[in-house]
Amino acid sequence: MPSKPLHRPSILDIARDAGVSPATVSRAFNRPQLLKPDTLQRIERVARKSRFRPNRLGSGLRSGSTRTIGMALPTLRNPVFAECFEGAEAWAHDNGYSIMVTTTGYDVTREAAAVHSLIDHQVEGVLLAVANAARSATLRELAEDGLPYVLVYNESPSHPCVSVDNMAAAGDMLCWLAGQGHTRIALVTGPLAASDRARRRLQGARACARKLGLPPPAHLPMPSHTAADVGILRQALRERPAPTALFCSNDLLAVSVIAQLRALGLHVPQALSVCGFDGMHLAALMVPPLTTVEQPSRDIGATACAQLLARLRGESAVSLRLPHRLMAGGTVAAAAPSP
């Protein structure tokens, strides 16, 4: 049998039971400061008893403000992006906004479709990470339409953004590896076309190597941003001289690299050192803990949300770089002396 529709009390029901007009009930939930305290308490008491919830979307559409912002992230499988969302959502909630989130799978086509879907749902602004901020048609479209937006993780001189300095952070890690005696270092990344963050980390590592007079780090591009290809690793380790340290462009990729090395019979860090980038909380729970560059993902989300809400108030958004931190775990050991 078909289920019976759930009865939801309306403003008219609450007004009747509280002995006030529907307009007074509306003010109780939208502008409570305009009501006398005893009237407001009576309406709230009736609403709680009836389990009444105001229709925020309907009232928002009527007023021209949905109090909703959109967020488009590459994936939520990576804890870093989930932390970013949590930071943004907490800030939005504290300021009377909700967030509608969608994922793009590191795909430019899905990226555009995801943002279009958010716009169709009447969001007032967008937080997003794109594949390439310098070439993004999605960002150009948002700018042309006049819809406020702020980038998370991407760095750009042309678009408002909140990130870390990816080149400097990668340079700091490479310098630290060099301090551990590693001169043969390889950068492991996903497809650079789908992540300008990974590209900047590669550039930063290579710039630091030049400054230190080290050989240019090799580049091992993987088909995926979060999964290592054992064949590519096997071939890299057959090179002579082989790398002694693998610097991965994100922590999930580093975890996958360590697992694939173990499948090849190689233990980290005894046979090979491995480090990552992101500082996801799981990294500290690994055995041994992962050596990584920590970026404050929750703060990136919260700060970007604050900048977006400032834009919605008519203020100018400010691009910000938040501080990174090197976390020395147990997956990097001093390089063995060259034979």
Short mmCIF file of all heavy atoms in Angstrom, two decimals, residues 128-133 151-156 160-164 166 195-197 200:
data_model
loop_
_atom_site.label_atom_id
_atom_site.label_comp_id
_atom_site.label_asym_id
_atom_site.label_seq_id
_atom_site.Cartn_x
_atom_site.Cartn_y
_atom_site.Cartn_z
N LEU A 128 35.20 26.73 -4.20
CA LEU A 128 35.54 25.63 -5.10
C LEU A 128 37.05 25.47 -5.27
O LEU A 128 37.81 26.42 -5.07
CB LEU A 128 34.90 25.82 -6.47
CG LEU A 128 35.41 26.92 -7.42
CD1 LEU A 128 34.86 26.70 -8.83
CD2 LEU A 128 35.03 28.31 -6.95
N ALA A 129 37.44 24.24 -5.61
CA ALA A 129 38.80 23.92 -6.04
C ALA A 129 38.70 23.48 -7.49
O ALA A 129 37.87 22.62 -7.81
CB ALA A 129 39.41 22.83 -5.18
N VAL A 130 39.52 24.04 -8.35
CA VAL A 130 39.47 23.71 -9.77
C VAL A 130 40.77 23.04 -10.20
O VAL A 130 41.78 23.08 -9.49
CB VAL A 130 39.22 24.97 -10.63
CG1 VAL A 130 37.86 25.58 -10.30
CG2 VAL A 130 40.33 26.00 -10.46
N ALA A 131 40.73 22.42 -11.38
CA ALA A 131 41.92 21.72 -11.87
C ALA A 131 43.05 22.70 -12.15
O ALA A 131 44.20 22.46 -11.79
CB ALA A 131 41.56 20.93 -13.13
N ASN A 132 42.73 23.80 -12.81
CA ASN A 132 43.75 24.76 -13.20
C ASN A 132 43.13 26.15 -13.16
O ASN A 132 42.35 26.53 -14.04
CB ASN A 132 44.26 24.45 -14.61
CG ASN A 132 45.45 25.29 -15.00
OD1 ASN A 132 45.56 26.45 -14.61
ND2 ASN A 132 46.36 24.73 -15.78
N ALA A 133 43.47 26.91 -12.13
CA ALA A 133 42.86 28.23 -11.95
C ALA A 133 43.20 29.19 -13.09
O ALA A 133 42.40 30.06 -13.44
CB ALA A 133 43.31 28.83 -10.62
N LEU A 151 38.28 30.56 -4.21
CA LEU A 151 38.97 29.29 -4.42
C LEU A 151 39.53 28.76 -3.11
O LEU A 151 39.98 29.53 -2.25
CB LEU A 151 40.12 29.47 -5.41
CG LEU A 151 39.75 29.73 -6.87
CD1 LEU A 151 40.97 30.19 -7.65
CD2 LEU A 151 39.17 28.47 -7.49
N VAL A 152 39.53 27.44 -2.97
CA VAL A 152 40.23 26.79 -1.86
C VAL A 152 41.33 25.91 -2.45
O VAL A 152 41.13 25.22 -3.45
CB VAL A 152 39.28 25.93 -1.00
CG1 VAL A 152 38.32 26.81 -0.21
CG2 VAL A 152 38.48 24.93 -1.83
N TYR A 153 42.52 26.00 -1.87
CA TYR A 153 43.72 25.25 -2.26
C TYR A 153 44.41 25.81 -3.51
O TYR A 153 45.63 25.82 -3.59
CB TYR A 153 43.42 23.75 -2.46
CG TYR A 153 42.98 23.07 -1.20
CD1 TYR A 153 41.66 22.69 -1.00
CD2 TYR A 153 43.88 22.79 -0.17
CE1 TYR A 153 41.24 22.07 0.17
CE2 TYR A 153 43.48 22.18 1.00
CZ TYR A 153 42.16 21.82 1.16
OH TYR A 153 41.76 21.21 2.33
N ASN A 154 43.66 26.23 -4.52
CA ASN A 154 44.30 26.84 -5.69
C ASN A 154 44.94 28.17 -5.30
O ASN A 154 44.45 28.88 -4.43
CB ASN A 154 43.29 27.13 -6.79
CG ASN A 154 42.58 25.89 -7.29
OD1 ASN A 154 41.45 25.65 -6.90
ND2 ASN A 154 43.22 25.13 -8.16
N GLU A 155 46.05 28.49 -5.98
CA GLU A 155 46.66 29.81 -5.85
C GLU A 155 46.47 30.56 -7.16
O GLU A 155 46.65 29.98 -8.23
CB GLU A 155 48.15 29.68 -5.53
CG GLU A 155 48.45 29.00 -4.21
CD GLU A 155 49.94 28.76 -4.03
OE1 GLU A 155 50.67 29.73 -3.76
OE2 GLU A 155 50.37 27.60 -4.19
N SER A 156 46.10 31.84 -7.08
CA SER A 156 45.85 32.59 -8.30
C SER A 156 46.00 34.08 -8.04
O SER A 156 45.48 34.60 -7.05
CB SER A 156 44.44 32.31 -8.83
OG SER A 156 44.13 33.17 -9.91
N PRO A 160 40.08 35.42 -6.19
CA PRO A 160 40.21 35.34 -4.73
C PRO A 160 40.42 33.90 -4.30
O PRO A 160 39.73 32.99 -4.78
CB PRO A 160 38.86 35.89 -4.23
CG PRO A 160 37.92 35.72 -5.37
CD PRO A 160 38.74 35.86 -6.62
N CYS A 161 41.37 33.66 -3.41
CA CYS A 161 41.73 32.29 -3.04
C CYS A 161 42.28 32.22 -1.63
O CYS A 161 42.78 33.21 -1.09
CB CYS A 161 42.75 31.72 -4.03
SG CYS A 161 44.26 32.69 -4.20
N VAL A 162 42.18 31.04 -1.04
CA VAL A 162 42.79 30.75 0.26
C VAL A 162 43.53 29.43 0.12
O VAL A 162 42.96 28.42 -0.29
CB VAL A 162 41.74 30.65 1.38
CG1 VAL A 162 42.40 30.31 2.71
CG2 VAL A 162 40.94 31.95 1.50
N SER A 163 44.83 29.44 0.44
CA SER A 163 45.67 28.26 0.20
C SER A 163 46.90 28.35 1.08
O SER A 163 47.04 29.27 1.89
CB SER A 163 46.10 28.21 -1.28
OG SER A 163 46.97 29.31 -1.56
N VAL A 164 47.80 27.40 0.91
CA VAL A 164 49.16 27.55 1.41
C VAL A 164 50.04 27.93 0.23
O VAL A 164 49.60 27.90 -0.92
CB VAL A 164 49.67 26.25 2.06
CG1 VAL A 164 48.88 25.90 3.30
CG2 VAL A 164 49.67 25.09 1.07
N ASN A 166 52.23 26.57 -2.01
CA ASN A 166 52.59 25.20 -2.37
C ASN A 166 54.06 25.06 -2.79
O ASN A 166 54.70 24.07 -2.45
CB ASN A 166 51.68 24.71 -3.50
CG ASN A 166 50.29 24.38 -3.00
OD1 ASN A 166 50.07 23.33 -2.42
ND2 ASN A 166 49.35 25.29 -3.22
N SER A 195 45.50 18.99 -11.56
CA SER A 195 45.80 19.58 -10.25
C SER A 195 46.96 20.56 -10.37
O SER A 195 48.12 20.15 -10.43
CB SER A 195 46.13 18.49 -9.23
OG SER A 195 46.56 19.06 -8.00
N ASP A 196 46.63 21.85 -10.40
CA ASP A 196 47.71 22.83 -10.43
C ASP A 196 48.45 22.86 -9.09
O ASP A 196 49.58 23.34 -9.01
CB ASP A 196 47.20 24.22 -10.81
CG ASP A 196 46.08 24.74 -9.90
OD1 ASP A 196 45.78 24.11 -8.88
OD2 ASP A 196 45.51 25.80 -10.24
N ARG A 197 47.85 22.34 -8.02
CA ARG A 197 48.57 22.24 -6.74
C ARG A 197 49.74 21.28 -6.85
O ARG A 197 50.85 21.57 -6.41
CB ARG A 197 47.63 21.78 -5.61
CG ARG A 197 46.63 22.82 -5.14
CD ARG A 197 45.40 22.85 -6.01
NE ARG A 197 44.63 21.61 -5.92
CZ ARG A 197 43.77 21.21 -6.85
NH1 ARG A 197 43.59 21.91 -7.96
NH2 ARG A 197 43.08 20.09 -6.69
N ARG A 200 52.54 22.88 -8.87
CA ARG A 200 53.31 23.87 -8.11
C ARG A 200 54.23 23.18 -7.09
O ARG A 200 55.33 23.67 -6.82
CB ARG A 200 52.36 24.85 -7.40
CG ARG A 200 51.62 25.77 -8.36
CD ARG A 200 50.75 26.76 -7.62
NE ARG A 200 51.55 27.74 -6.90
CZ ARG A 200 52.04 28.86 -7.43
NH1 ARG A 200 51.81 29.14 -8.71
NH2 ARG A 200 52.74 29.70 -6.71
#
